[in-house]
Amino acid sequence: MDLIRIETEDQMALNGLVWEPETNRNTMVILVPGGTTGAALVASHDYYPMATALTAAGYSFIVANMRASANYPYAVFADAVKDIAGFVDYAKSAGYAQIAIVGISLGGPRMAQYMAERGDPAVKAVALVASIPSPYLEFQIRSSNEEKQRLEGNLASARQLVKEGRELEPLAFLNWFPDGRHMMLSAQSMLGFFGAPEDNAPSSVSYGAQIKVPALVLHGDQDELSLPPNAQTIYDSLTASPQRDLVWVEGASHYLTPGRIAESYAGKLADWIIKNMPL
C-alpha cells in the first residue's frame, strides 16, 4: 500500500491509498467513500479484504479521499465530482486503460453524479455498495412519521437561514444514525447533503438512467441504515446500463466491518468486477 497525492482541476490537493498487484497494472478500481466527510479511512469500514481480493486478481485499487474530509461542516456536495475526476485523471496518466468506480454508502450518489456529468470513456463499470438513493430518501424509508416531520422542520430552518444570508450558520440534527450519532453542518451544507429533492440534494436514482456502463448494486440484507428497499430502488433506476445486477450479502449490515462481512462484500465485488471488466 502506498499513499498518493493528486491535484484536482481546481488545484485542490487530495490524498489516496493505492494497492497494486505484482503484475498487470492496466486496470484500476477507484473506491469513493461515503459519509459526509468522504474520508478514506474510517473505523466502520474495513477495505483491506477488498484490496486483497482485487490485487490478487490483478486489479489495482485506490481508496480516494474527498476534500470534504478537511472541511465537512461547510462542504459542497457537488465538489465530489471534481475530486473523483482528479483520481480518474491520475489513473489514466499512470497508464490505466480501464477503470471501475465503486461508491460506498453516500459514495454511491457521489459516483452517480460524476458519471452523469463527466462520463469518462475510460470508466468501464461501476458499483454501488451498501449505497443509498440519497440521505433524504433513505431517511423516509426507515423513519417514523414523527421523525420525518422533525427532519422537515430542520430543513425548513436551513432554508430560512440561507434566505437570510446566514448559510454558514451551524445547524444540528440529533440522532440521524440508528446508533444514536448526531450530525452538525452549516445550513447550506445541510441542504446540500441531506435536503429534499427540491433542494437539489444528492441522489443516485436521479442520475441512474445516465449510467451507461455495467453496474452492480451490492447490498447487505440486514442493512440497518440503508434498508433493503433502497437497493431495489437504486437497481431500478439503472435503466441504461447494458448489464445491471443486484447482489445481496447475507447477514451483512451497512458497514464493511472486519471479518466475515468485509470479506463477503470484497469477494462478491471482486467476482463481479472480474466478470464485467476483465483484464
Side-chain angles (χ1 to χ4, degrees):
M1 179 184 71
D2 290 316
L3 180 68
I4 61 168
R5 179 187 185 277
I6 67 109
E7 191 170 283
T8 65
E9 61 200 42
D10 57 345
Q11 288 76 57
M12 177 66 68
L14 299 173
N15 293 117
L17 299 171
V18 61
W19 289 260
E20 293 181 328
E22 294 183 2
T23 58
N24 186 43
R25 301 192 183 184
N26 176 61
T27 307
M28 171 74 75
V29 178
I30 299 173
L31 184 142
V32 178
T36 310
T37 67
L41 291 180
V42 292
S44 53
H45 292 301
D46 180 8
Y47 299 130
Y48 281 97
M50 198 174 286
T52 300
L54 288 168
T55 54
Y59 296 84
S60 295
F61 180 59
I62 286 180
V63 180
N65 198 53
M66 303 287 101
R67 73 180 68 188
S69 63
N71 196 30
Y72 78 90
Y74 305 99
V76 176
F77 182 84
D79 282 343
V81 171
K82 292 178 280 191
D83 297 347
I84 297 169
F87 283 98
V88 170
D89 287 345
Y90 167 85
K92 291 164 60 179
S93 67
Y96 290 94
Q98 295 192 115
I99 299 168
I101 305 179
V102 176
I104 300 278
S105 190
L106 188 56
R110 286 181 170 114
M111 177 273 291
Q113 185 167 347
Y114 167 81
M115 291 298 294
E117 293 185 4
R118 300 296 176 95
D120 194 305
V123 179
K124 306 298 186 183
V126 301
L128 300 103
V129 177
S131 190
I132 57 174
S134 75
Y136 181 87
L137 293 175
E138 70 81 8
F139 193 85
Q140 304 305 305
I141 293 176
R142 66 177 168 87
S143 301
S144 65
N145 288 333
E146 182 180 5
E147 286 296 286
K148 292 176 189 177
Q149 288 302 312
R150 188 165 69 92
L151 176 59
E152 295 302 333
N154 181 277
L155 296 177
S157 297
R159 295 183 192 109
Q160 184 62 33
L161 288 170
V162 171
K163 183 179 179 180
E164 294 172 359
R166 300 159 61 194
E167 63 275 3
L168 298 183
E169 189 164 314
L171 193 64
F173 192 93
L174 301 180
N175 301 312
W176 174 274
F177 296 96
D179 60 8
R181 283 178 293 145
H182 315 311
M183 65 178 182
M184 180 177 286
L185 299 169
S186 67
Q188 179 176 268
S189 293
M190 183 71 73
L191 293 176
F193 280 82
F194 296 94
E198 58 265 31
D199 298 310
N200 296 315
S203 170
S204 60
V205 295
S206 66
Y207 297 112
Q210 298 177 65
I211 295 176
K212 300 177 180 180
V213 298
L216 168 67
V217 179
L218 182 60
H219 214 86
D221 64 1
Q222 300 298 315
D223 195 316
E224 74 283 19
L225 178 66
S226 182
L227 299 184
N230 289 291
Q232 187 67 52
T233 297
I234 294 168
Y235 173 83
D236 290 343
S237 75
L238 299 167
T239 54
S241 174
Q243 175 63 47
R244 57 177 176 167
D245 295 287
L246 174 55
V247 177
W248 296 99
V249 182
E250 293 183 7
S253 69
H254 185 69
Y255 303 101
L256 280 63
T257 51
R260 184 191 66 82
I261 292 178
E263 291 167 2
S264 295
Y265 271 111
K268 290 179 182 292
L269 175 68
D271 288 346
W272 188 88
I273 292 287
I274 292 166
K275 180 179 178 181
N276 289 278
M277 194 179 69
L279 299 175

